[in-house]
């Protein structure tokens, strides 16, 4: 029994996701109270009705007590409710079947929040605007938006349960140096460079290109000017690709998932393992990429009227009350039939002109090569500079707001703060090009309130003015990046450039295709690590966000060294439990953990090294509260913060962070276990330094 | 070895709020939230704040209950967490700091509620029969005791304070055990424990019960928990010196656990000099009972009561019982058809005023068990009514025999004679469905004060009784009486306190040494049995006390020179052995944090049984089995390691060290 709900303070549903059991439960509740013949209220209304007391109470508590609910649990933790407040939106996750811990639920909420950011960028900063994106007044559109995120959430949950890389939230590489090299070369010459040298690319510039085999990264190439892609962003991209082109899951657990909540599995079902290709329906075919025969049409879910393409997000409707200037433009940008592999607007962190800038607009092209093998191309447009300016301005105003809320009086003291001067200068410069726009008058108004000596406004007035400017900046951000998204007809690479890159890559990898697919299932095998008593391990380089672990498959068709079926499933459950426990202890400041549970001995180590591989002294890791963002990468990169925290004590040298989790048989004595862990860590460390670029 | 902190703990940083909220008082839109607040700690909290917390939490609990089908047991905020317990319309919430683990928070709430149930009976009845102020004082006392009795390590485990066994001659412990066993042979006595200066020397009771008994002992004289009735101190003549008997309530499970290990009942009965059967026995042998003299009461006014139409099944009641009930007169003796229970309660009844309210308790629970038919109730009612009639001259007589001591001394017949008239005079006047409140208000204003000290108390108990009568009455007047009807006003039968059974807590203190025994109800009036217990244990207790005083070191200074810390927790007896100082040093803080974490996991993961956790500054080794948990930390400063797996790392040799070092503390990990 699971549910995720995003609501405003007034209990308006901005998004929900439920599993079938939860939905059925709701239905029963409302059946009881309503008359049989009466139509049941919509699911969102049911949820809103039932949870409104909790939502309103949590707002009341926040107002009156400056504290609010974070978690509810019933006897033995059977039912868990996790609440997390992001800005003015309350995120609630519910579990009624013991299958998720509080940490899992909170992580799910943080991941959902992050997915919203990836899709809407800095628009998420403004609660009014994000409300319109997530809850468009148009019902069809709202259904589409919700369906998209419901599906993403489903994909995420599935990957978290199935893939080790998503369990520890690190990218898993497909280990094959020769192929990796070959692919990188192709990506460089025939994809990135080919695109960037083409005059038809317009303002788009290819930055990154990479190849995925299922969830595993085969090769990654970044152009010279591009900043590095954060591990969290790369993981999010893999999640998006998996959502578009789900891996043929061989672990067909024929559980009857609700057809309305599209799970990746269901999309695969009509196609079986590697079925004969179906040609896409003509409606979807119009301007699709050149290999329609490789596509499987997802069976339309019973509840849907149209084809699978409806699942695709086309963004929000024009908000009704945004400044007038937007009206005309937006009307023209009304969504037109998007289809699964059309380029997508996403927002990723990047360095722009040497400045760190979060949520920079990018365009993602997912170019499928064969089922299970995808190429992804990331481009940026020339408007990136605008993103940086907007971010800096928004950041400045947020800081100002914070100071005002902390009780700083407007006046000379505030004016003399360096960031205020900087903000003023940047804003003046920014406004110059915006003649006739509402933001100009708002800025003038603000300036008189904040900077003139005579009629300085009160701090409340200033806060209001601040909020108004922020909203206008967000609106500009929205217009510039969301309204002109490629899916809404915004600029993107011409189709034939995409086709060309795709075709070339297919030619290069054609001979390797089957090998890659098999290799991805047996990437690393325990045979290569002959340590007696060692059952499994996961090694993570947190600096690069990459992990190495023996393949763990409990599918019927693909057996691993642990055999198949129940035994593998058992070991898998142990590994997942170990990950969970290790995170819990790390959250509480423990960096080493060794425990015996049943017939297994599990261990967890976290340590720091410098670039030369020299082991650095451990530090006291911060102890976090239960309601803090859980340890992980996707929903807030804990390790990045940890590395920054460590670097404070060693500013001179770069620091790297590693984790090792091992699972041994319990007959192995502690000293031998630690010795093996040590050997393993050394060997994996060396290997990563050699093979991984 | 740690001892309870001697200083008064007025408040503790980890203990923020505690309240009891009665949702039934806030039903309509216009009802103010404050009407439902039965008790709020700290009492200084602004009323608005109290209303906010009670109202919001109660609302959220209701909402989540609807959604999940079960009420939440824990509500966590950013800076606070609330353990929640719901019993019918009543809601308890204990607000603690977030650093206290969820498990401990819940345990403290359970403990607090347990205390209340133990000394006061079911909450709904307690609040119906006593004034809120009086009960608030009780809660204050309970909270003070809980706060007083915790060090951080004890808080984690919710452990009991016990004597450091390594510092006591083992023979003394054996002696304590023997004393308890001897006492168990006495009639009615089920099990007990021996405490020395608030520390457990030996206990036969399950830890939760020991905690409750311990509470009574650790309360300072001025705030002694009077229990549902006052300690039977005023019965100076009846009770031997330094002995108190307090009526208490045990849950069915607790009673069952006591019966599990008692000496053979039969043997005991044979041995015992008592002529009274244990309460749970049906005894047809009442002929030899002095109580049978009650027959002189015939004819009883109960007939009148039956006539009121509620006594359809009256014939089911043994004639004798009716008589007894009548003899008991004042009270709600009349009960289920089980003759045994009836007779036993009768026995209780006759004795003591303070008992009354408990008795009513008994009857309810008994009535629940045995599906006693309506007449029982009608009967009760009649009795009550009659008893409360203000105009009755007999009333005084009744009340005077409420006092146990004179009665004990009285020839039975005389006492009974006094009782005889009263029901008769009033039984017929009773009208079913009459509003009980007027009667309540017109109860006799003053009881003949036998003991000035006990007066106030007696008044309270009287009120309780009358209120109970009202309850019973209204319960009945709803319509045809069904068992369910009667259950209605008792705590919800499904709840853990569905059946609270009355018991007696016998305490005998010899200076710092206290013998506490839990006995079945008849104990209170069984002078012979009390004497037997007293005399069989007196000499040994005196001896034990002297020995303990001599053996125990005066100052419990901690071995500061120790190179390690450890905490050993006995899961069965809920006892701690540790070498931590009371005020946690920085090193200890880390240790305690680790213990807190690992302890929760040991509780949740049954197959987890050994764990080493380490951060930059310290490493802790923990292991557990079904009977115990042990935590060990090396204090010698170690060179900081890198965290990289290293077999030479001292963290990984902790297991071996713990095994060796702890042997001398009597902890065997091998």
């Amino acid at each position: 029994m699971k549910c995720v709900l995003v609501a405003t303070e007034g209990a308006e549903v901005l998004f929900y996701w439920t599993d079938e059991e939860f939905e059925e439960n709701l239905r029963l509740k409302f059946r009881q109270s309503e008359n049989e013949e009466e139509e049941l209220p919509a699911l969102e209304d049911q949820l809103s009705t039932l949870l409104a007391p909790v939502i309103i109470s949590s707002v009341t508590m926040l107002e009156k007590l400056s504290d609010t609910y974070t978690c509810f649990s019933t006897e033995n933790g059977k039912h868990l409710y996790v609440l997390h407040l992001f800005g003015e939106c309350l995120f609630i996750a519910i579990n009624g079947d013991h299958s998720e811990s509080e940490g899992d639920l909170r992580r799910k909420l943080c991941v959902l929040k992050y997915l919203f950011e990836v899709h809407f960028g800095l628009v998420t900063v403004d609660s009014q605007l994000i409300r319109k994106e997530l809850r468009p007044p148009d019902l069809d559109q709202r259904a589409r938006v919700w369906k998209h995120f419901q599906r993403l959430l489903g994909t995420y949950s599935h990957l978290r349960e199935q893939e080790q890389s998503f369990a520890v939230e690190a990218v898993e590489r497909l280990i094959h140096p020769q192929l990796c090299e070959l692919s990188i070369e192709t990506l460089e010459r025939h994809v990135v460079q080919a695109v960037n040298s083409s005059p038809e690319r317009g303002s788009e510039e290819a930055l990154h290109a990479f190849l995925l085999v299922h969830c595993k990264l085969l090769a990654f190439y970044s152009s010279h000017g591009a900043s590095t892609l954060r591990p969290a962003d790369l993981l999010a991209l893999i999640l998006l690709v998996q959502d578009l082109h789900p891996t043929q899951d061989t672990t067909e657990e024929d559980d009857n998932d609700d057809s309305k909540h599209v799970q990746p599995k269901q999309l695969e079902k009509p196609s079986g393992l590697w079925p004969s290709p179906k040609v896409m329906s003509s409606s979807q075919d119009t301007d699709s990429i050149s290999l329609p025969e490789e596509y499987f049409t997802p069976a339309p879910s019973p509840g849907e009227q149209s084809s699978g393409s409806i699942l695709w997000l086309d963004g929000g409707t024009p908000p009704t009350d945004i400044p007038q200037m937007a009206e005309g433009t937006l009307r023209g940008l009304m969504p037109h039939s998007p289809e699964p592999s059309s380029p997508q607007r996403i927002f990723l962190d990047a360095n722009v002109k040497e400045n760190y800038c979060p949520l920079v607009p990018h365009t993602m092209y997912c170019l499928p090569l064969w089922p299970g093998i995808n190429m992804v191309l990331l481009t940026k447009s020339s408007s990136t500079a605008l993103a940086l300016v907007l971010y800096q301005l928004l950041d400045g105003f947020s800081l100002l707001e914070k100071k005002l809320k902390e009780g700083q009086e407007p006046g000379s003291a505030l004016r003399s703060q360096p960031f205020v001067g900087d903000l003023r200068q940047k804003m003046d410069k920014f406004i110059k090009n915006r003649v006739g726009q509402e933001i100009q008058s708002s800025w003038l108004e603000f300036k008189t309130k904040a900077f003139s000596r005579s009629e300085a406004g009160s701090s409340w007035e200033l806060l209001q003015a601040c909020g108004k400017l922020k909203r206008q900046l967000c609106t500009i951000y929205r217009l510039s990046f969301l309204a002109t998204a490629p899916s809404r007809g915004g600029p993107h690479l011409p189709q034939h450039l995409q086709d060309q890159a795709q075709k070339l890559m297919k030619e290069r990898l054609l001979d390797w295709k089957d090998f890659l697919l098999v290799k991805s299932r047996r990437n690393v095998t325990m045979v290569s690590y002959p340590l007696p008593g060692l059952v499994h391990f996961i090694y993570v380089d947190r600096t690069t966000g990459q992990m190495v672990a023996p393949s763990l498959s409990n599918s019927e068709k693909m057996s691993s060294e642990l055999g198949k079926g129940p035994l593998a499933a058992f070991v898998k459950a142990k590994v997942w439990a170990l990950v969970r426990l290790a995170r819990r202890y790390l959250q509480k400041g423990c960096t080493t953990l060794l425990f015996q549970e049943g017939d297994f001995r599990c261990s967890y180590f976290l340590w720091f090294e410098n670039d030369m591989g020299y082991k650095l002294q451990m530090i006291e890791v911060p102890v976090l509260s239960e309601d803090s963002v859980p340890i992980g990468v996707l929903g807030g990169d804990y390790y990045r913060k940890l590395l920054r925290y460590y670097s404070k004590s060693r500013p001179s040298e770069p620091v790297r962070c590693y984790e090792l989790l091992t699972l041994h048989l319990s007959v192995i004595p502690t000293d031998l276990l630690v010795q093996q862990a040590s050997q393993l860590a050394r060997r994996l460390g060396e290997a990563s330094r050699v093979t991984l670029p | 070895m740690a001892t309870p902190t001697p200083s008064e703990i007025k408040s503790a940083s980890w203990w923020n709020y505690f309240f009891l909220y009665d949702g039934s008082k806030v039903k309509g839109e216009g009802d103010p939230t404050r009407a439902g607040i039965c008790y709020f700690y700290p009492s200084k909290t602004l009323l608005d704040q109290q209303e906010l917390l009670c109202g919001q939490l109660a609302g959220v609990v209701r909402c989540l209950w609807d959604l999940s089908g079960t009420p939440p047991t824990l509500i966590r905020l950013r800076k606070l967490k609330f353990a929640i317990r719901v019993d019918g319309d009543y809601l308890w919430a204990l607000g603690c700091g977030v650093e206290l683990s969820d498990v401990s928070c819940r345990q403290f709430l359970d403990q607090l509620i347990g205390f209340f149930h133990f000394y006061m009976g079911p909450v709904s009845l307690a609040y119906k029969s006593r004034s809120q102020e009086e009960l608030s004082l009780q809660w204050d006392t309970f909270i003070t005791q809980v706060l007083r009795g915790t060090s951080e390590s004890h808080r984690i485990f919710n452990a009991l304070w016990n004597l450091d066994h390594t510092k006591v001659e083992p023979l003394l412990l054996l002696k304590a055990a023997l004393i308890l066993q001897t006492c168990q042979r006495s009639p009615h006595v089920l099990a007990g424990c021996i405490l020395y200066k608030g520390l457990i020397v030996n206990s036969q009771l399950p830890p939760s019960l020991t905690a409750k008994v311990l509470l009574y002992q650790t309360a300072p004289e001025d705030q002694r928990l009077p229990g549902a009735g006052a300690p039977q101190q005023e019965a100076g003549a009846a009770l031997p010196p330094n002995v108190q008997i307090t009526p208490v309530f045990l849950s069915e499970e607790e009673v069952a656990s006591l019966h599990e290990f008692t000496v053979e009942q039969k043997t005991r009965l044979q041995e015992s000099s008592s002529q009274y059967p244990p309460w749970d026995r049906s005894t047809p042998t009442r002929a030899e009972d002095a109580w049978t003299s009650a027959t002189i009461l015939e004819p009883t006014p109960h007939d009148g009561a039956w006539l009121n139409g509620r006594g359809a099944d009256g014939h089911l009641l043994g004639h004798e019982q009716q008589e007894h009930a009548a003899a008991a007169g004042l009270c709600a003796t009349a009960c289920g058809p089980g003759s045994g229970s009836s007779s036993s309660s009768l026995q209780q009844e006759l004795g003591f005023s303070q008992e009354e309210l408990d008795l009513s308790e008994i009857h309810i629970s008994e009535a629940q068990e045995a599906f006693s038919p309506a007449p029982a109730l009608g009967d009760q009612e009649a009795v009550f009514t009659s008893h409360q009639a203000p105009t009755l001259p007999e009333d005084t007589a009744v009340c005077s025999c409420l006092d146990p001591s004179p009665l004990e001394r009285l020839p039975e017949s005389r006492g009974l004679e006094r009782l005889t008239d009263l029901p008769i005079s009033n039984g017929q006047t009773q009208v079913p469905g009459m509003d009980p409140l007027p009667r309540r208000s017109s109860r006799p204003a003053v009881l003949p004060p036998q003991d000035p000290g006990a007066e106030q108390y007696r008044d309270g108990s009287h009120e309780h009784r009358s209120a109970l009568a009202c309850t019973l009455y209204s319960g009945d007047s709803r319509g045809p009486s069904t068992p369910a009807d009667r259950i209605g006003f008792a705590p919800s039968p499904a709840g853990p306190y569905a059946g609270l059974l009355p018991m007696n807590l016998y305490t005998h203190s010899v200076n710092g040494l206290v013998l506490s025994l839990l006995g079945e109800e008849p104990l209170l009036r069984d002078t012979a049995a009390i004497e037997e217990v007293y005399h069989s244990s007196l000499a040994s207790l005196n001896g034990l006390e002297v020995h303990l005083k001599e053996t125990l070191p005066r100052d419990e200074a901690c071995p500061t020179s120790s190179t390690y810390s450890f905490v050993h927790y006995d899961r069965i007896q809920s006892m701690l052995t540790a070498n931590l100082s009371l005020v946690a040093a920085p090193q200890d803080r880390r240790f305690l944090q680790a213990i807190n974490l690992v302890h929760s996991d040991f509780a949740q993961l049954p197959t987890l049984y050994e764990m080493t956790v380490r951060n930059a500054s310290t490493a802790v080794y923990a292991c557990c089995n079904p009977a115990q948990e042990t935590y060990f930390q090396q204090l010698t400063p170690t060179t900081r390691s890198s965290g990289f797996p290293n077999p030479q790392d001292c963290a990984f040799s902790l297991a071996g060290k713990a095994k060796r070092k702890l042997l001398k503390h009597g902890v065997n990990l091998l």
Side-chain angles (χ1 to χ4, degrees), chain B residues 30-336:
Chain B
D31 296 339
T33 311
R34 61 196 65 183
I37 303 176
C38 298
Y39 175 75
F40 200 99
Y41 172 93
S43 52
K44 289 185 294 260
T45 315
L46 293 175
L47 196 57
D48 280 352
Q49 177 98 337
Q50 295 188 14
E51 288 202 315
L52 173 75
L53 285 172
C54 292
Q56 295 299 325
L57 290 189
V60 164
V61 165
R62 172 52 52 193
C63 170
L64 296 175
W65 196 346
D66 279 352
L67 262 168
S68 331
T70 48
T73 53
L74 193 86
I75 294 182
R76 194 132 34 81
L77 284 81
R78 286 173 188 161
K79 293 171 238 156
L80 272 177
K81 60 174 72 169
F82 286 92
I84 301 285
R85 222 190 36 233
V86 180
D87 183 356
D89 283 322
Y90 287 94
L91 168 81
W92 287 269
L94 168 64
C96 291
V98 281
E99 63 284 349
L100 191 77
S101 74
D102 296 357
V103 187
S104 302
C105 189
R106 277 197 208 116
Q107 278 175 348
F108 276 115
L109 180 63
D110 285 346
Q111 194 178 30
L112 211 49
I113 298 171
F115 286 156
F116 188 90
H117 282 143
F118 188 69
Y119 289 105
M120 299 284 131
V123 69
S124 47
L125 279 173
Y127 270 88
K128 267 171 199 142
S129 58
R130 286 155 173 259
S131 73
Q132 204 156 307
E133 292 72 36
E134 189 190 334
L135 292 169
S136 296
L137 278 176
Q138 294 301 330
W139 284 116
D140 287 342
T141 314
F142 295 143
I143 291 175
T144 318
Q145 289 313 309
V146 172
L147 290 184
R148 173 201 294 265
T150 54
S151 77
E152 190 158 351
S153 49
H154 279 71
R155 212 177 298 156
I156 294 170
F157 296 97
N158 210 330
L160 301 170
W161 293 99
N162 63 304
L163 213 61
D164 188 345
H165 289 186
T166 57
K167 290 186 182 136
V168 189
E169 172 68 31
L171 275 177
L172 289 183
L173 301 175
L174 186 63
K175 186 169 183 176
L178 285 176
I179 295 173
L180 289 174
Q181 282 170 17
T182 313
C183 292
Q184 267 186 316
R185 293 221 173 73
S186 302
H188 316 307
V189 174
L190 292 176
C193 62
I194 292 181
L195 313 163
Y196 183 68
K197 292 186 172 159
L199 304 175
I200 298 160
V201 181
N202 201 319
S203 177
Q204 297 172 315
L205 308 170
S208 68
L209 266 178
T210 312
K212 292 169 185 169
V213 171
L214 198 60
L215 177 79
Y216 184 76
Q217 292 314 317
T218 49
E221 289 299 329
D222 56 325
Q223 33 178 310
R224 266 285 147 85
L225 303 151
Q232 310 303 309
Q233 219 156 16
E234 69 272 19
L239 294 179
N242 297 321
V243 170
Q244 291 183 341
I245 296 186
T246 314
V248 293
F249 298 87
L250 272 72
S251 70
E252 277 162 358
E253 301 86 73
E254 284 169 337
V255 173
S257 71
L258 289 186
H259 279 282
E260 223 171 310
F261 300 108
T262 48
V263 284
E264 250 315 289
Q265 284 267 19
K266 273 190 182 154
T267 341
R268 195 209 303 193
L269 271 176
Q270 284 152 11
E271 289 171 7
S272 101
S273 59
S274 166
Q275 49 194 328
Y276 308 130
W279 64 274
D280 57 343
R281 296 282 172 121
S282 154
T283 45
T285 53
R286 257 173 294 112
E288 30 181 282
D289 230 312
W291 303 105
T292 38
S293 52
T295 33
I296 56 160
L297 287 177
E298 279 193 301
T300 63
H302 297 295
D303 300 335
W306 310 127
L307 290 178
N308 282 334
R310 262 162 285 129
D313 289 325
H315 59 275
L316 285 181
L317 269 183
H319 196 58
E320 269 181 337
Q321 282 150 16
Q322 291 178 39
E323 293 154 12
H324 290 309
L330 40 149
C331 12
T333 327
C335 2

Side-chain angles (χ1 to χ4, degrees), chain A residues 332-350:
Chain A
L333 294 172
M334 278 306 281
H336 56 268
S337 64
E339 45 81 31
S341 50
S342 72
Q344 216 189 129
R345 168 64 23 101
I346 49 163
F347 296 86
L348 307 170
D349 292 10

Side-chain angles (χ1 to χ4, degrees), chain A residues 29 50 57 66-68 70-71 73 81 102 585 589 591-592 594-598 607 616 618 620 626, chain B residues 56 63 66-68 73-74 76-79 590 601 607 609-612 614-615 617 641-642 644-645:
Chain A
K29 268 196 185 79
L50 278 174
S57 179
S66 322
D67 197 352
T68 190
T70 58
C71 179
S73 68
Y81 295 72
E102 184 189 346
Y585 278 83
T591 51
T592 305
L594 180 74
F595 64 92
Q596 182 164 357
E597 200 207 352
W607 71 96
L616 302 174
M618 183 45 70
E620 293 277 352
E626 306 282 337
Chain B
Q56 295 299 325
C63 170
D66 279 352
L67 262 168
S68 331
T73 53
L74 193 86
R76 194 132 34 81
L77 284 81
R78 286 173 188 161
K79 293 171 238 156
R590 278 302 199 176
D601 282 322
T607 50
Y609 52 97
E610 199 179 41
M611 201 162 202
T612 305
R614 210 251 315 263
N615 64 20
S617 54
S641 70
S642 64
F644 187 80

Side-chain angles (χ1 to χ4, degrees), chain B residues 267-545:
Chain B
T267 341
R268 195 209 303 193
L269 271 176
Q270 284 152 11
E271 289 171 7
S272 101
S273 59
S274 166
Q275 49 194 328
Y276 308 130
W279 64 274
D280 57 343
R281 296 282 172 121
S282 154
T283 45
T285 53
R286 257 173 294 112
E288 30 181 282
D289 230 312
W291 303 105
T292 38
S293 52
T295 33
I296 56 160
L297 287 177
E298 279 193 301
T300 63
H302 297 295
D303 300 335
W306 310 127
L307 290 178
N308 282 334
R310 262 162 285 129
D313 289 325
H315 59 275
L316 285 181
L317 269 183
H319 196 58
E320 269 181 337
Q321 282 150 16
Q322 291 178 39
E323 293 154 12
H324 290 309
L330 40 149
C331 12
T333 327
C335 2
S339 58
S341 57
S342 146
S343 81
S344 67
S345 39
L346 171 63
Q347 290 162 18
Q348 300 155 358
E349 252 1 284
L350 267 173
F352 308 88
S353 62
Q354 289 78 3
E355 277 291 86
E356 291 169 355
L357 59 168
D358 318 333
L359 286 177
S360 35
E361 225 37 73
I362 314 165
H363 302 143
I364 286 154
S365 44
E366 281 173 358
Q368 271 172 253
E369 284 161 0
F371 33 97
S372 97
L377 261 190
D379 201 322
Q380 263 173 335
E381 220 173 278
V383 173
F384 271 119
T385 324
S386 60
H387 182 215
Q388 281 146 22
T391 49
L392 280 184
E394 289 83 1
D395 221 291
T396 25
V398 175
C399 293
S400 66
C401 66
L402 291 180
D403 189 73
S405 38
L407 184 65
E408 297 268 331
R409 279 171 277 140
L410 279 174
E412 308 284 15
S413 53
R414 250 186 71 202
L416 289 165
E417 254 165 18
R418 286 217 256 161
L419 290 169
T420 41
D421 317 71
L422 85 244
I424 301 169
S425 51
N426 209 20
Q428 314 283 3
T429 63
Q430 188 234 327
V431 183
M434 200 173 99
D435 182 11
L437 282 171
R439 262 180 288 142
R440 184 187 186 178
S441 55
S442 58
R443 75 196 149 80
V446 191
L447 294 162
Q450 297 271 326
D451 176 331
E455 187 190 318
Q456 187 196 354
Y457 206 68
R458 196 162 306 125
D459 193 42
S461 63
H462 191 88
E463 187 182 330
H464 180 183
R465 174 168 46 72
S466 50
L468 178 74
C470 302
T471 325
L472 290 172
Y473 191 86
S474 48
D476 196 35
S477 60
R478 260 182 247 139
S481 175
T482 61
D485 234 340
R486 249 171 295 119
I487 287 160
F489 54 79
S492 75
Y497 288 89
L500 278 177
L501 307 172
M503 286 272 191
N504 284 326
L505 173 64
Y506 167 101
T507 54
H508 178 188
S509 51
V510 180
N511 297 327
L513 190 74
V514 180
L515 167 71
S516 299
L517 299 169
L518 280 170
E520 285 158 341
E521 275 256 281
L523 178 67
L524 191 49
R525 278 162 325 285
D526 190 343
T527 327
I530 294 171
E531 291 285 323
E532 189 185 321
V533 175
Y534 180 74
H535 290 297
S536 67
S537 59
L538 183 62
S540 324
L541 283 176
N542 280 326
L544 184 60
E545 196 269 333

